[in-house]
Amino acid sequence: VIDNTWLWRADHDINGLVYNGNNPVESGIVINGDYVTAYGLAVEHTLGHMTMWNGNNGLTIFYQSEYPYDVDTDYGTNKFASYKVNHAVTSHKAFGVGVYSFFRDHDVVVESGIQAPNTTDVSFTNSLTVFLNGRGQINHVINDKGDAVKAG
């Protein structure tokens, strides 16, 4: 059980704002075990997939994340997602998943806030993406579904 956890790559330090991938952290959490339940999981600003779920029969109830401010366009080209369920996972459920963008420094285009296998036993309920500020966009909420969010 993961309960009320905020995993955060610092977007600032004692010298001010962080730029160019300083304070490197690849992922906030990588879940390899089966039957893991997360209540209130927040993961922010990491430089790869923020959450990588590899285990079966996972359950998330409330997830919040914000993409890193300081990445360049390669971040989108590399197809990173905030919440990624491994293609080999056969069962996973998530409720209340929110993915937010504020690409401060570059016009980053992320294909999807959530990436997951398209099977009947993998489901997401009440999931969304939000453009907070800055540049770039998120094209879809989950896989190729959901409208883009961007300025304007």
Side-chain angles (χ1 to χ4, degrees):
V1 172
I2 301 165
D3 186 26
N4 193 29
T5 304
W6 185 25
L7 307 169
W8 179 68
R9 171 186 161 249
D11 58 345
H12 61 276
D13 60 22
I14 60 172
N15 297 315
L17 298 177
V18 169
Y19 292 93
N20 303 317
N22 290 340
N23 301 340
V25 175
E26 186 68 23
S27 292
I29 190 166
V30 176
I31 298 163
N32 293 319
D34 295 339
Y35 297 97
V36 174
T37 298
Y39 301 104
L41 176 60
V43 181
E44 297 192 342
H45 309 293
T46 67
L47 301 175
H49 298 299
M50 286 189 264
T51 295
M52 183 68 209
W53 208 294
N54 297 318
N56 273 304
N57 300 300
L59 171 64
T60 298
I61 299 173
F62 181 74
Y63 174 84
Q64 179 269 317
S65 69
E66 184 179 69
Y67 281 114
Y69 304 146
D70 60 317
V71 291
D72 63 23
T73 57
D74 287 345
Y75 189 83
T77 303
N78 288 326
K79 300 192 183 300
F80 290 123
S82 167
Y83 194 106
K84 180 167 178 66
V85 179
N86 186 298
H87 69 277
V89 170
T90 58
S91 178
H92 183 87
K93 297 197 181 325
F95 299 87
V97 174
V99 179
Y100 315 130
S101 74
F102 175 13
F103 295 118
R104 181 190 66 207
D105 300 338
H106 300 280
D107 289 320
V108 178
V109 177
V110 173
E111 190 58 27
S112 183
I114 303 164
Q115 296 174 8
N118 189 15
T119 65
T120 56
D121 287 334
V122 174
S123 66
F124 286 79
T125 304
N126 295 330
S127 300
L128 58 94
T129 55
V130 175
F131 175 87
L132 294 175
N133 202 348
R135 305 162 73 170
Q137 68 185 55
I138 304 171
N139 285 340
H140 302 287
V141 177
I142 181 167
N143 298 332
D144 61 351
K145 306 292 185 225
D147 293 337
V149 292
K150 59 187 175 182

Short mmCIF file of all heavy atoms in Angstrom, two decimals, residues 84-119:
data_model
loop_
_atom_site.label_atom_id
_atom_site.label_comp_id
_atom_site.label_asym_id
_atom_site.label_seq_id
_atom_site.Cartn_x
_atom_site.Cartn_y
_atom_site.Cartn_z
N LYS A 84 2.46 5.69 -16.77
CA LYS A 84 2.63 4.66 -17.79
C LYS A 84 2.44 3.28 -17.18
O LYS A 84 3.11 2.92 -16.23
CB LYS A 84 4.00 4.74 -18.45
CG LYS A 84 4.18 3.66 -19.53
CD LYS A 84 5.38 3.92 -20.38
CE LYS A 84 5.59 2.84 -21.42
NZ LYS A 84 4.56 2.77 -22.42
N VAL A 85 1.51 2.54 -17.76
CA VAL A 85 1.30 1.15 -17.40
C VAL A 85 1.98 0.31 -18.48
O VAL A 85 1.68 0.46 -19.67
CB VAL A 85 -0.20 0.81 -17.29
CG1 VAL A 85 -0.39 -0.65 -16.93
CG2 VAL A 85 -0.89 1.71 -16.27
N ASN A 86 2.88 -0.56 -18.08
CA ASN A 86 3.65 -1.39 -19.01
C ASN A 86 2.71 -2.16 -19.93
O ASN A 86 1.67 -2.65 -19.51
CB ASN A 86 4.53 -2.34 -18.19
CG ASN A 86 5.47 -3.14 -19.05
OD1 ASN A 86 5.06 -3.92 -19.90
ND2 ASN A 86 6.76 -2.95 -18.81
N HIS A 87 3.12 -2.32 -21.18
CA HIS A 87 2.31 -3.02 -22.18
C HIS A 87 2.02 -4.48 -21.81
O HIS A 87 1.06 -5.07 -22.28
CB HIS A 87 2.99 -2.95 -23.56
CG HIS A 87 4.25 -3.75 -23.64
ND1 HIS A 87 5.46 -3.26 -23.19
CD2 HIS A 87 4.47 -5.00 -24.09
CE1 HIS A 87 6.39 -4.19 -23.37
NE2 HIS A 87 5.82 -5.25 -23.92
N ALA A 88 2.83 -5.07 -20.94
CA ALA A 88 2.63 -6.47 -20.54
C ALA A 88 1.63 -6.62 -19.39
O ALA A 88 1.23 -7.74 -19.06
CB ALA A 88 3.97 -7.09 -20.14
N VAL A 89 1.21 -5.51 -18.78
CA VAL A 89 0.25 -5.57 -17.67
C VAL A 89 -1.13 -5.95 -18.22
O VAL A 89 -1.59 -5.40 -19.22
CB VAL A 89 0.19 -4.22 -16.92
CG1 VAL A 89 -0.96 -4.17 -15.94
CG2 VAL A 89 1.52 -3.97 -16.21
N THR A 90 -1.79 -6.89 -17.53
CA THR A 90 -3.10 -7.37 -18.00
C THR A 90 -4.26 -6.86 -17.15
O THR A 90 -5.40 -6.94 -17.57
CB THR A 90 -3.14 -8.90 -18.04
OG1 THR A 90 -2.85 -9.40 -16.73
CG2 THR A 90 -2.11 -9.44 -19.03
N SER A 91 -3.96 -6.36 -15.93
CA SER A 91 -5.03 -5.87 -15.05
C SER A 91 -4.52 -4.67 -14.24
O SER A 91 -3.52 -4.78 -13.53
CB SER A 91 -5.49 -6.98 -14.11
OG SER A 91 -6.47 -6.50 -13.24
N HIS A 92 -5.25 -3.55 -14.35
CA HIS A 92 -4.89 -2.34 -13.62
C HIS A 92 -6.12 -1.43 -13.60
O HIS A 92 -6.84 -1.31 -14.60
CB HIS A 92 -3.73 -1.61 -14.31
CG HIS A 92 -3.27 -0.41 -13.58
ND1 HIS A 92 -2.32 -0.48 -12.58
CD2 HIS A 92 -3.61 0.90 -13.67
CE1 HIS A 92 -2.10 0.74 -12.11
NE2 HIS A 92 -2.88 1.59 -12.75
N LYS A 93 -6.36 -0.76 -12.47
CA LYS A 93 -7.47 0.18 -12.37
C LYS A 93 -6.96 1.47 -11.71
O LYS A 93 -6.18 1.42 -10.77
CB LYS A 93 -8.61 -0.40 -11.55
CG LYS A 93 -9.21 -1.64 -12.20
CD LYS A 93 -10.56 -1.98 -11.66
CE LYS A 93 -11.15 -3.22 -12.28
NZ LYS A 93 -10.90 -3.47 -13.67
N ALA A 94 -7.45 2.60 -12.22
CA ALA A 94 -7.07 3.89 -11.66
C ALA A 94 -8.28 4.82 -11.68
O ALA A 94 -9.03 4.85 -12.65
CB ALA A 94 -5.91 4.51 -12.43
N PHE A 95 -8.44 5.57 -10.59
CA PHE A 95 -9.56 6.51 -10.43
C PHE A 95 -9.00 7.87 -10.06
O PHE A 95 -8.20 7.99 -9.13
CB PHE A 95 -10.50 6.03 -9.32
CG PHE A 95 -11.11 4.69 -9.59
CD1 PHE A 95 -10.45 3.53 -9.23
CD2 PHE A 95 -12.34 4.59 -10.21
CE1 PHE A 95 -11.01 2.29 -9.48
CE2 PHE A 95 -12.91 3.36 -10.47
CZ PHE A 95 -12.24 2.20 -10.10
N GLY A 96 -9.43 8.92 -10.78
CA GLY A 96 -9.00 10.27 -10.45
C GLY A 96 -7.55 10.54 -10.76
O GLY A 96 -6.78 10.90 -9.87
N VAL A 97 -7.17 10.39 -12.02
CA VAL A 97 -5.80 10.62 -12.45
C VAL A 97 -5.73 11.97 -13.17
O VAL A 97 -6.41 12.17 -14.17
CB VAL A 97 -5.31 9.48 -13.38
CG1 VAL A 97 -3.93 9.80 -13.94
CG2 VAL A 97 -5.30 8.16 -12.62
N GLY A 98 -4.91 12.89 -12.64
CA GLY A 98 -4.75 14.21 -13.23
C GLY A 98 -3.31 14.47 -13.63
O GLY A 98 -2.40 14.27 -12.83
N VAL A 99 -3.12 14.91 -14.88
CA VAL A 99 -1.79 15.20 -15.42
C VAL A 99 -1.79 16.65 -15.90
O VAL A 99 -2.60 17.03 -16.74
CB VAL A 99 -1.45 14.25 -16.59
CG1 VAL A 99 -0.09 14.57 -17.16
CG2 VAL A 99 -1.54 12.79 -16.13
N TYR A 100 -0.84 17.46 -15.39
CA TYR A 100 -0.80 18.89 -15.67
C TYR A 100 0.50 19.26 -16.37
O TYR A 100 1.54 18.67 -16.10
CB TYR A 100 -0.91 19.69 -14.37
CG TYR A 100 -1.97 19.19 -13.43
CD1 TYR A 100 -1.69 18.94 -12.10
CD2 TYR A 100 -3.26 18.92 -13.89
CE1 TYR A 100 -2.67 18.47 -11.24
CE2 TYR A 100 -4.24 18.45 -13.04
CZ TYR A 100 -3.94 18.22 -11.71
OH TYR A 100 -4.91 17.74 -10.88
N SER A 101 0.41 20.27 -17.24
CA SER A 101 1.63 20.72 -17.92
C SER A 101 1.88 22.21 -17.68
O SER A 101 0.96 23.02 -17.64
CB SER A 101 1.54 20.47 -19.43
OG SER A 101 0.67 21.37 -20.06
N PHE A 102 3.15 22.51 -17.49
CA PHE A 102 3.67 23.88 -17.49
C PHE A 102 5.09 23.75 -18.04
O PHE A 102 6.06 23.67 -17.28
CB PHE A 102 3.65 24.48 -16.10
CG PHE A 102 4.29 25.86 -15.99
CD1 PHE A 102 4.60 26.62 -17.11
CD2 PHE A 102 4.58 26.39 -14.75
CE1 PHE A 102 5.19 27.87 -17.00
CE2 PHE A 102 5.17 27.64 -14.63
CZ PHE A 102 5.47 28.37 -15.76
N PHE A 103 5.18 23.65 -19.37
CA PHE A 103 6.49 23.59 -20.01
C PHE A 103 7.00 25.01 -20.13
O PHE A 103 6.62 25.75 -21.04
CB PHE A 103 6.39 22.88 -21.37
CG PHE A 103 5.99 21.44 -21.26
CD1 PHE A 103 4.82 20.99 -21.83
CD2 PHE A 103 6.79 20.53 -20.59
CE1 PHE A 103 4.44 19.65 -21.73
CE2 PHE A 103 6.43 19.19 -20.47
CZ PHE A 103 5.24 18.76 -21.06
N ARG A 104 7.82 25.39 -19.19
CA ARG A 104 8.26 26.78 -19.03
C ARG A 104 9.23 27.22 -20.11
O ARG A 104 9.16 28.36 -20.60
CB ARG A 104 8.92 26.91 -17.65
CG ARG A 104 9.43 28.28 -17.30
CD ARG A 104 10.27 28.24 -16.04
NE ARG A 104 11.49 27.45 -16.28
CZ ARG A 104 12.15 26.80 -15.33
NH1 ARG A 104 11.72 26.81 -14.08
NH2 ARG A 104 13.23 26.12 -15.62
N ASP A 105 10.16 26.34 -20.50
CA ASP A 105 11.31 26.77 -21.29
C ASP A 105 11.25 26.44 -22.78
O ASP A 105 11.92 27.09 -23.57
CB ASP A 105 12.59 26.15 -20.71
CG ASP A 105 12.82 26.57 -19.26
OD1 ASP A 105 12.28 27.61 -18.84
OD2 ASP A 105 13.53 25.84 -18.55
N HIS A 106 10.47 25.42 -23.16
CA HIS A 106 10.46 24.98 -24.56
C HIS A 106 9.05 24.55 -24.96
O HIS A 106 8.23 24.22 -24.12
CB HIS A 106 11.42 23.79 -24.76
CG HIS A 106 12.84 24.12 -24.42
ND1 HIS A 106 13.67 24.80 -25.29
CD2 HIS A 106 13.58 23.88 -23.31
CE1 HIS A 106 14.86 24.96 -24.73
NE2 HIS A 106 14.83 24.41 -23.53
N ASP A 107 8.82 24.53 -26.27
CA ASP A 107 7.54 24.07 -26.81
C ASP A 107 7.52 22.55 -26.87
O ASP A 107 7.73 21.95 -27.92
CB ASP A 107 7.31 24.65 -28.21
CG ASP A 107 7.02 26.14 -28.17
OD1 ASP A 107 6.28 26.57 -27.27
OD2 ASP A 107 7.54 26.86 -29.04
N VAL A 108 7.27 21.94 -25.75
CA VAL A 108 7.25 20.48 -25.64
C VAL A 108 5.84 19.99 -25.97
O VAL A 108 4.85 20.50 -25.45
CB VAL A 108 7.64 20.03 -24.21
CG1 VAL A 108 7.58 18.52 -24.08
CG2 VAL A 108 9.02 20.57 -23.85
N VAL A 109 5.78 18.98 -26.83
CA VAL A 109 4.50 18.34 -27.16
C VAL A 109 4.56 16.90 -26.68
O VAL A 109 5.36 16.11 -27.18
CB VAL A 109 4.21 18.41 -28.67
CG1 VAL A 109 2.91 17.68 -28.99
CG2 VAL A 109 4.15 19.85 -29.14
N VAL A 110 3.72 16.59 -25.70
CA VAL A 110 3.62 15.24 -25.17
C VAL A 110 2.42 14.57 -25.82
O VAL A 110 1.34 15.16 -25.88
CB VAL A 110 3.47 15.27 -23.62
CG1 VAL A 110 3.20 13.89 -23.08
CG2 VAL A 110 4.72 15.86 -22.99
N GLU A 111 2.59 13.37 -26.30
CA GLU A 111 1.51 12.69 -27.00
C GLU A 111 0.34 12.34 -26.08
O GLU A 111 -0.81 12.50 -26.45
CB GLU A 111 2.04 11.42 -27.70
CG GLU A 111 1.06 10.79 -28.64
CD GLU A 111 0.56 11.71 -29.75
OE1 GLU A 111 1.28 12.65 -30.15
OE2 GLU A 111 -0.57 11.51 -30.20
N SER A 112 0.65 11.85 -24.87
CA SER A 112 -0.42 11.40 -23.99
C SER A 112 0.01 11.51 -22.53
O SER A 112 1.13 11.13 -22.19
CB SER A 112 -0.77 9.95 -24.32
OG SER A 112 -1.84 9.51 -23.53
N GLY A 113 -0.87 12.02 -21.68
CA GLY A 113 -0.57 12.09 -20.25
C GLY A 113 -0.51 10.72 -19.60
O GLY A 113 0.26 10.49 -18.68
N ILE A 114 -1.34 9.80 -20.10
CA ILE A 114 -1.41 8.43 -19.59
C ILE A 114 -1.19 7.48 -20.75
O ILE A 114 -1.81 7.63 -21.81
CB ILE A 114 -2.79 8.14 -18.95
CG1 ILE A 114 -3.10 9.12 -17.84
CG2 ILE A 114 -2.87 6.70 -18.47
CD1 ILE A 114 -4.56 9.15 -17.41
N GLN A 115 -0.32 6.50 -20.57
CA GLN A 115 -0.14 5.44 -21.55
C GLN A 115 -0.43 4.12 -20.86
O GLN A 115 0.11 3.84 -19.79
CB GLN A 115 1.29 5.42 -22.08
CG GLN A 115 1.68 6.66 -22.84
CD GLN A 115 3.15 6.66 -23.22
OE1 GLN A 115 3.86 5.67 -23.05
NE2 GLN A 115 3.64 7.79 -23.70
N ALA A 116 -1.29 3.31 -21.49
CA ALA A 116 -1.68 2.04 -20.88
C ALA A 116 -2.14 1.07 -21.96
O ALA A 116 -2.60 1.50 -23.02
CB ALA A 116 -2.80 2.26 -19.87
N PRO A 117 -2.05 -0.24 -21.67
CA PRO A 117 -2.57 -1.21 -22.63
C PRO A 117 -4.07 -1.01 -22.84
O PRO A 117 -4.79 -0.67 -21.90
CB PRO A 117 -2.31 -2.56 -21.96
CG PRO A 117 -1.27 -2.30 -20.93
CD PRO A 117 -1.46 -0.87 -20.51
N ASN A 118 -4.51 -1.19 -24.06
CA ASN A 118 -5.92 -1.04 -24.39
C ASN A 118 -6.61 -2.40 -24.29
O ASN A 118 -6.86 -3.06 -25.29
CB ASN A 118 -6.06 -0.45 -25.81
CG ASN A 118 -7.48 -0.08 -26.12
OD1 ASN A 118 -8.32 0.01 -25.24
ND2 ASN A 118 -7.74 0.13 -27.39
N THR A 119 -6.86 -2.82 -23.03
CA THR A 119 -7.53 -4.10 -22.78
C THR A 119 -8.67 -3.86 -21.78
O THR A 119 -8.69 -2.86 -21.07
CB THR A 119 -6.57 -5.15 -22.20
OG1 THR A 119 -6.12 -4.71 -20.91
CG2 THR A 119 -5.35 -5.35 -23.10
#
